[in-house]
Amino acid sequence: MTYQHQHQHQHQHQPHAYPPAGWPGPAGPPPAAPKRRGRLALLLAGGLVAVLAVAAGTAYGVSRLVGGDDDGRELRTAWVLDFPERQRNGLKTFDGQDMFGAWLIGDAVARAQPDGIIAYRLTDGGQAWGVPAPPGSSLCGAAQTLAEGRGVVALGSADSCDTLVGVDAAAGTRTWQVTFPAERLKGRGMLTAPDLSVAGGQVVVRSDQRVLGYSLADGKRLWQTDADRLLPGRDCRVTDAQAAGTQAVVTARCDGVRGALLGLDPATGAVRWRQQLPDAQQSDGVLSVDPLVSLPGLEGRTFVARDAAGKARATFGNPVGGTRFSDLPVNRSNTVEGPAVRPYLADADTLYLPTEAANVPGKMRQANQVVAIDLATGERRWVSTGHTDSEVELIRLDEQGVLAWEVGDHRDLAPRLVRIDPATGKAAVLAEGPRSAGTEGSDAKVLERDGTVVLVPWKHVSADAAITVLR
């Protein structure tokens, strides 16, 4: 793994006026210049930083190349992107700084935000491409995974999240747009976004009691079903629908305390299997589709690891083996009620979850670890060791183990990239980052490629930047 070291000079450039070139939204005054952070130096490379508002793209934020003296630490801050200005299109239902999804695509990082999807080059923070939300609309959700460089987002108006947009993330283009039946906002409640996921070449959507399948290639509707068709005569409600790999899993609650779990073909909507859920295994949905792990219901505490046909393999509670873990969503929104994104990693044998965070004595921060759960037995395998006293964010799972990011702190603790041994749970340090990036990875999507670490917070709460790139 190669880590590049850079020494840079301090300069500053001004953002482009709003709206940027090619932006289809209404006119408005220019956004305020990004706030300057004393700990970060701004770079003007070759006399001008090329931060472009591409003709097809959005450009709320303007990235800033960064340098500075980080005491020779292994990872340096390459560039940061300030949070976007709040919505200027008149819609008041969306928080203009929320993040709905983030992906590494080619040599760029893409961020889905209310005004659209915008991608920035990893090398210098320049805008690579943008797919803006149409005038009078705003993003309200996104499928968390891509399939062969294609993805899908949901958008809507002030009272309904009712439109799907296909995106070719490799080309940076919108490929199709369709509407679907959706709930209308009544009164001052939260806007409801659909369950939205990608399974191979299909998009699976749950909107209230309907579950629909679309072609990822062209947006053609492939099938539609509902609780009455899936479970006729049972007085059921669909509570969750998620898809991955070659399967869609629908969770239903029936006749009070009873329920069911169903496996569907994402291409046709045909039911492959049904599993009745006894009282002790009532569920509000699934944590993971592949491997299949169902969540407890409102009254229960039991997680269930299942085989590919939905049959229970093992159960576990929280705590597991005396260790409490966190299954709280990281994508909380003040204005949009949508599918929860919960932090976990899994393979066929093991589920990895962050442990419940605890306050660090004498410090203004929290710390946690990672717990490994055997999916065949439901027993705890290990709790990770060797961490600093900060939060641990999961990145990915591969043949070398669990890659994770220790958040650190601005004051006295540098963040670290670590690898957790899958057999023992021992954390080994791969790289240390600058303290200036401390807490930027808290409640964030953390991505890594070839030693470059990308931090994309879900909300503007504890973070200063919408994107931070370290290398």
Coordinates of all heavy atoms in Angstrom, one line a residue, residues 87 89 91 93-94 114 133-141 153-165 177 179-180 182 184 191-192 194:
Q87 N -30.7 24.4 0.3 CA -31.5 24.5 -0.9 C -31.9 25.9 -1.3 O -32.3 26.7 -0.4 CB -32.8 23.6 -0.7 CG -32.5 22.1 -0.5 CD -32.3 21.5 -1.8 OE1 -31.1 21.2 -2.1 NE2 -33.3 21.2 -2.6
N89 N -34.1 26.1 -4.2 CA -35.1 25.9 -5.1 C -36.5 26.0 -4.5 O -37.5 25.6 -5.2 CB -35.0 24.6 -5.9 CG -35.0 23.4 -4.9 OD1 -35.3 23.6 -3.7 ND2 -34.8 22.2 -5.4
L91 N -37.9 24.4 -2.0 CA -38.4 23.3 -1.3 C -37.9 23.3 0.1 O -36.7 23.5 0.4 CB -37.9 22.0 -2.0 CG -38.3 21.8 -3.4 CD1 -37.8 20.4 -3.9 CD2 -39.8 21.8 -3.5
T93 N -38.7 20.9 2.5 CA -38.9 19.6 3.1 C -37.6 18.8 3.3 O -37.5 17.9 4.0 CB -39.9 18.7 2.3 OG1 -39.4 18.6 1.0 CG2 -41.3 19.2 2.4
F94 N -36.5 19.3 2.5 CA -35.3 18.5 2.6 C -34.2 19.4 3.2 O -34.1 20.6 3.1 CB -34.8 18.1 1.2 CG -35.8 17.4 0.4 CD1 -36.1 17.7 -0.9 CD2 -36.5 16.3 0.9 CE1 -37.0 17.1 -1.7 CE2 -37.4 15.6 0.2 CZ -37.7 16.0 -1.1
P114 N -29.2 16.6 -1.8 CA -30.5 17.0 -2.3 C -30.5 17.6 -3.7 O -31.5 17.4 -4.4 CB -30.9 18.0 -1.2 CG -30.3 17.5 0.0 CD -28.9 17.0 -0.4
A133 N -30.7 17.3 -9.9 CA -32.1 17.1 -9.8 C -32.8 18.1 -10.7 O -32.4 19.2 -10.8 CB -32.6 17.2 -8.3
P134 N -33.9 17.7 -11.3 CA -34.6 18.6 -12.2 C -35.2 19.8 -11.4 O -35.4 19.7 -10.2 CB -35.8 17.8 -12.7 CG -35.3 16.4 -12.6 CD -34.5 16.3 -11.4
P135 N -35.4 20.9 -12.0 CA -36.0 22.1 -11.3 C -37.3 21.8 -10.6 O -38.1 21.0 -11.1 CB -36.2 23.1 -12.5 CG -35.3 22.7 -13.6 CD -35.2 21.2 -13.5
G136 N -37.4 22.3 -9.4 CA -38.6 22.0 -8.6 C -38.6 20.7 -7.9 O -39.6 20.3 -7.3
S137 N -37.5 19.9 -7.9 CA -37.4 18.6 -7.3 C -36.2 18.6 -6.4 O -35.3 19.4 -6.5 CB -37.5 17.5 -8.3 OG -36.3 17.5 -9.1
S138 N -36.1 17.5 -5.6 CA -34.9 17.3 -4.8 C -34.7 15.8 -4.5 O -35.7 15.1 -4.4 CB -35.1 18.1 -3.5 OG -34.0 18.0 -2.6
L139 N -33.5 15.4 -4.3 CA -33.2 14.0 -4.0 C -33.8 13.7 -2.6 O -33.7 14.6 -1.7 CB -31.7 13.7 -4.0 CG -31.2 12.9 -5.3 CD1 -31.3 13.9 -6.5 CD2 -29.8 12.5 -5.1
C140 N -34.3 12.5 -2.4 CA -34.8 12.1 -1.1 C -34.3 10.7 -0.7 O -34.7 10.2 0.4 CB -36.3 12.2 -1.0 SG -37.2 11.6 -2.5
G141 N -33.5 10.0 -1.5 CA -33.0 8.7 -1.2 C -32.1 8.2 -2.3 O -32.1 8.8 -3.4
V153 N -31.4 6.7 -7.8 CA -31.8 7.6 -6.7 C -33.3 7.9 -6.8 O -33.9 7.7 -7.8 CB -30.9 8.9 -6.7 CG1 -29.5 8.6 -6.5 CG2 -31.2 9.7 -8.0
A154 N -33.8 8.3 -5.7 CA -35.2 8.8 -5.6 C -35.3 10.3 -5.4 O -34.4 10.8 -4.7 CB -36.0 8.0 -4.5
L155 N -36.2 10.9 -6.1 CA -36.4 12.3 -5.9 C -37.9 12.7 -5.9 O -38.7 11.8 -6.2 CB -35.6 13.1 -6.9 CG -35.9 12.9 -8.4 CD1 -37.1 13.7 -8.9 CD2 -34.6 13.3 -9.2
G156 N -38.2 13.9 -5.5 CA -39.6 14.3 -5.5 C -39.7 15.7 -5.3 O -38.8 16.5 -5.4
S157 N -41.0 16.1 -5.0 CA -41.4 17.5 -4.8 C -41.5 17.7 -3.3 O -41.0 16.9 -2.5 CB -42.7 17.8 -5.5 OG -43.7 17.0 -5.0
A158 N -42.1 18.8 -2.9 CA -42.2 19.2 -1.5 C -43.1 18.2 -0.7 O -43.0 18.1 0.5 CB -42.8 20.6 -1.4
D159 N -44.0 17.5 -1.4 CA -45.0 16.6 -0.7 C -44.9 15.2 -1.1 O -45.7 14.4 -0.5 CB -46.4 17.1 -0.9 CG -46.9 17.0 -2.3 OD1 -46.1 16.7 -3.2 OD2 -48.1 17.2 -2.6
S160 N -44.0 14.7 -1.9 CA -44.0 13.3 -2.3 C -42.6 13.0 -2.9 O -42.0 13.7 -3.7 CB -45.0 13.0 -3.3 OG -45.0 11.7 -3.7
C161 N -42.1 11.8 -2.5 CA -40.9 11.3 -3.1 C -41.3 10.2 -4.0 O -41.5 9.0 -3.6 CB -40.0 10.7 -1.9 SG -38.4 10.1 -2.5
D162 N -41.5 10.5 -5.3 CA -42.2 9.6 -6.2 C -41.6 9.4 -7.6 O -42.2 8.9 -8.5 CB -43.6 10.1 -6.5 CG -43.6 11.5 -7.1 OD1 -42.6 12.1 -7.4 OD2 -44.7 12.0 -7.4
T163 N -40.3 9.6 -7.7 CA -39.6 9.5 -9.0 C -38.3 8.8 -8.8 O -37.5 9.1 -7.8 CB -39.3 10.9 -9.6 OG1 -40.6 11.6 -9.7 CG2 -38.7 10.8 -10.9
L164 N -38.0 7.9 -9.7 CA -36.7 7.2 -9.7 C -35.9 7.7 -10.9 O -36.4 8.0 -12.0 CB -36.9 5.7 -9.9 CG -37.7 4.9 -8.9 CD1 -37.8 3.4 -9.3 CD2 -37.1 5.0 -7.5
V165 N -34.6 7.9 -10.7 CA -33.7 8.3 -11.7 C -32.5 7.3 -11.8 O -31.8 7.1 -10.8 CB -33.1 9.7 -11.4 CG1 -32.1 10.1 -12.4 CG2 -34.3 10.7 -11.5
Q177 N -35.7 8.1 -16.2 CA -36.5 8.7 -15.1 C -37.9 8.2 -15.2 O -38.6 8.3 -16.3 CB -36.4 10.2 -15.2 CG -37.2 10.9 -14.1 CD -37.0 12.4 -14.1 OE1 -35.9 12.9 -14.3 NE2 -38.0 13.2 -13.9
T179 N -41.8 7.7 -12.8 CA -42.5 7.9 -11.5 C -43.1 6.6 -11.0 O -43.3 5.7 -11.8 CB -43.6 9.0 -11.7 OG1 -44.5 8.5 -12.7 CG2 -43.1 10.3 -12.1
F180 N -43.4 6.6 -9.7 CA -44.0 5.4 -9.1 C -45.0 5.8 -8.1 O -44.9 7.0 -7.6 CB -42.9 4.5 -8.5 CG -42.2 5.1 -7.3 CD1 -42.6 5.0 -6.0 CD2 -41.0 5.9 -7.6 CE1 -41.9 5.6 -5.0 CE2 -40.3 6.5 -6.5 CZ -40.8 6.3 -5.2
A182 N -46.6 6.7 -4.8 CA -46.0 7.0 -3.5 C -47.0 7.8 -2.6 O -47.9 8.4 -3.1 CB -44.7 7.9 -3.7
R184 N -48.4 10.7 -0.3 CA -48.3 12.2 -0.2 C -48.2 12.7 1.2 O -48.9 12.2 2.1 CB -49.6 12.8 -0.9 CG -49.7 12.5 -2.4 CD -48.8 13.3 -3.2 NE -48.7 12.9 -4.6 CZ -47.9 13.4 -5.5 NH1 -47.1 14.4 -5.1 NH2 -47.9 12.9 -6.7
L191 N -41.4 13.7 5.1 CA -41.5 13.1 3.8 C -41.1 11.6 3.9 O -40.1 11.3 4.5 CB -40.7 13.9 2.8 CG -41.0 13.6 1.3 CD1 -42.3 14.3 0.9 CD2 -39.8 14.0 0.5
T192 N -41.8 10.7 3.2 CA -41.4 9.3 3.2 C -40.7 8.9 2.0 O -41.3 9.1 0.9 CB -42.7 8.5 3.4 OG1 -43.4 8.8 4.6 CG2 -42.4 7.0 3.4
P194 N -38.8 5.8 -0.3 CA -39.0 4.4 -0.5 C -37.8 3.6 0.0 O -36.7 4.0 0.0 CB -39.3 4.2 -2.0 CG -38.4 5.3 -2.6 CD -38.5 6.5 -1.6

